[in-house]
Amino acid sequence: MAKRYGNLIGGKWITQGSKGTLENRNPANDREIVGIFPQSGIKEVNAAVSAAKKAFEKWRLVPAPKRGEIIKRAGDLMVKYKEELAKLETREMGKILDETRGDVQEGIDTAYYMAGEGRRMFGDTVPCELPNKTGFSIRQPVGVCGMITPWNFPMAIPTWKAFPALVCGNTVVIKPATDTPATVVRLGEILEEAGLPPGCFNIICGSGSGVGAPLCEHPDVRAISFTGSTNVGAQIAEVCGRLNKKVSLEMGGKNAQIVMDDADLDLALQGALWGAFGTSGQRCTATSRLILHKKIAKKFIAMLVKEASKLRVGNGLDAKTQMGPIVNESAMKGILEYIRIGKEEDKATLALGGKQLKRGNHAKGWFLEPTIFTGVTHKMRIFWEEIFGPVLSVIEVKSFDEAIERINQSHFGLSSSIYTRDVNRAFAAIRDIEAGITYINGPTIGAEIQLPFGGVKGTGNGHRESSHTVLDMFTEWKSVYVDFSGQLQRAQIDTE
Ligand code: NAP
Ligand code: MG
């Protein structure tokens, strides 16, 4: 019998769902059920929001350093359980153990960073224009925060949102992705074990329309933090706009790596392989376009195809595997459709892969060959559209200026990278690339939590996760004026 997991509402685990159950399957072995989860709806959303609202009244009064200590303990527990968490994550979403260990580590890093914010959360203290008067600003919690998360970083993304929100004094209702609820359930257990009071962190499992949408609509939810696709993000933005809620959106990407003619080609090759095929290309920051200077293109493509063809695709729990499965059948179908489109597009050449792997070790899961298209131009759909799989489009350019023009030809603006030994070009690229993240001589993936994470253009709506910048999402500023003159002093008027 597969293990049954519950929703977490006001400190109680409830396995019953008002809409039945949902099965969480292993994408490397579709017959393996990782767990059975409640399929929930508006009833559970209402119960969780009401528990979170009640808990907020006490939690907001707990001193921030104390709140930080609880998050620190959650980080310590994640260190203790790291291996178990990584294995669970690999079983529920497929990526290889090295990567799920990294995903858990990102949660640990966030816990320790945000625990420290409990003792910082800096505001400003400023001089006032009138005598015997002082001014300062403080951060205050927003209230009940709703969180809607994707399946590709089942631990990192929920912790990026929940840990700062909790340290700031908010309470949380989270809806995990249908493909990966188990990791978030473990996070809930860890927060409980760390001593978080009941009702501060609530989990409601279920579908986007059944749970995510009513969570956004609920009048007592003051803020929504969403990571996922651009389509769903746009719907959420409309609801939050209409209801005047704070909303942060982290959405799609079509990230590119540039390799200039003066680059260290071996280094750039390692970057391209890791950026394009890590997590089977299912990262928001994955390299999905490779922009090569014409002078090195032929040589680099030969190197790339040779190395990519050697990547071992398989079950992420096997230590020898370098690339795990695609998350589910419908994602597989979507990627295969893009491969079909790429094959039909003018002048694009399928240089490697393109086929689903269905035999032997691959028979039970959703496996795809690492895929490379060469001869791609900015007139093609595989140049513009997010594929979210191990499919790399290679574009050739004649100059640095053309490389910058191509990289910026995107509706998205999350991550970017350039390999060059020319410091002037590197700094011009930092200035001119339209993206939230630029790597110099590194792949498009590899963000660290002490710098802001997020994108421009179609990727985001101006908010950032990670670093102290995330606090802007989970707090409201209050400006405080203390007048100790004992008389009415009129700002801008009594200034003589
Ligand atoms: P998705 O379909 O947008 O799902 C994301 C979350 O939204 C899931 O929990 C989903 O629930 C929920 N959802 C779906 N419809 C909803 C609705 N109408 N109202 C409220 N919630 C709804 O995205 P995905 O396919 O899981 O993830 C891949 C996408 O996420 C890619 O586009 C990728 O670029 C993006 N992503 C971006 C970042 C970033 O930081 N920029 C990071 C990771 C991923 P269900 O799971 O139940 O459908
Ligand atoms: Mg799953």
Side-chain angles (χ1 to χ4, degrees), residues 257-449:
Q257 171 181 322
I258 298 171
V259 184
M260 291 304 298
D261 47 345
D262 65 343
D264 176 338
L265 294 191
D266 291 321
L267 185 68
L269 175 65
Q270 288 169 32
L273 289 166
W274 178 225
F277 303 119
T279 319
S280 313
Q282 305 171 108
R283 288 183 182 228
C284 48
T285 52
T287 307
S288 106
R289 297 178 299 162
L290 180 66
I291 301 174
L292 301 179
H293 193 285
K294 271 212 178 312
K295 280 194 193 151
I296 51 91
K298 203 169 160 208
K299 182 176 177 195
F300 195 80
I301 290 168
M303 290 161 70
L304 178 69
V305 168
K306 186 173 166 218
E307 290 307 311
S309 69
K310 289 189 211 156
L311 288 172
R312 285 183 300 269
V313 180
N315 189 324
L317 290 177
D318 179 345
K320 291 197 210 83
T321 299
Q322 292 168 298
M323 192 177 102
I326 303 303
V327 71
N328 58 34
E329 184 176 10
S330 83
M332 175 64 100
K333 281 190 180 147
I335 301 166
L336 289 173
E337 174 61 9
Y338 270 111
I339 293 172
R340 190 193 63 73
I341 290 167
K343 282 190 199 158
E344 284 183 2
E345 285 192 293
D346 203 27
K347 288 193 197 132
T349 307
L350 182 65
L352 182 72
K355 287 193 297 298
Q356 186 177 348
L357 296 160
K358 294 182 178 171
R359 300 219 174 113
N361 289 344
H362 300 122
K364 293 185 197 151
W366 306 109
F367 296 97
L368 183 63
E369 292 176 327
T371 298
I372 299 173
F373 281 101
T374 54
V376 176
T377 74
H378 60 284
K379 303 210 167 96
M380 299 177 187
R381 284 182 66 187
I382 57 170
F383 177 96
W384 287 95
E385 295 174 28
E386 185 178 46
I387 301 174
F388 224 59
V391 181
L392 182 64
S393 296
V394 182
I395 301 120
E396 296 183 27
V397 292
K398 292 195 190 70
S399 63
F400 173 74
D401 288 347
E402 196 193 344
I404 298 294
E405 187 186 339
R406 293 285 168 263
I407 206 169
N408 287 341
Q409 278 178 317
S410 174
H411 303 302
F412 302 109
L414 184 55
S415 187
S416 57
S417 139
I418 181 166
Y419 282 77
T420 178
R421 290 182 169 116
D422 181 336
V423 70
N424 295 354
R425 277 178 177 163
F427 273 87
I430 293 169
R431 182 192 59 199
D432 294 338
I433 293 175
E434 296 164 1
I437 306 169
T438 295
Y439 292 90
I440 305 298
N441 294 325
T444 59
I445 61 183
E448 300 183 26
I449 62 97

Side-chain angles (χ1 to χ4, degrees), residues 22 39 147-153 157 160-161 175-180 206-216 226-233 235-236 249-253 255 282-285 327 386 388 412 414 453-455 459-460 465:
L22 61 88
Q39 182 71 269
M147 297 172 184
I148 298 173
T149 52
W151 46 265
N152 61 346
F153 283 86
I157 293 177
W160 281 3
K161 298 180 189 305
K175 187 212 99 61
T178 297
D179 281 302
T180 56
S207 70
S209 53
V211 174
L215 185 61
C216 297
F226 168 80
T227 300
S229 62
T230 304
N231 281 347
V232 174
Q235 291 170 39
I236 289 176
L249 308 169
E250 293 292 352
M251 300 174 287
N255 315 289
Q282 305 171 108
R283 288 183 182 228
C284 48
T285 52
V327 71
E386 185 178 46
F388 224 59
F412 302 109
L414 184 55
F453 183 92
T459 295
E465 309 212 88

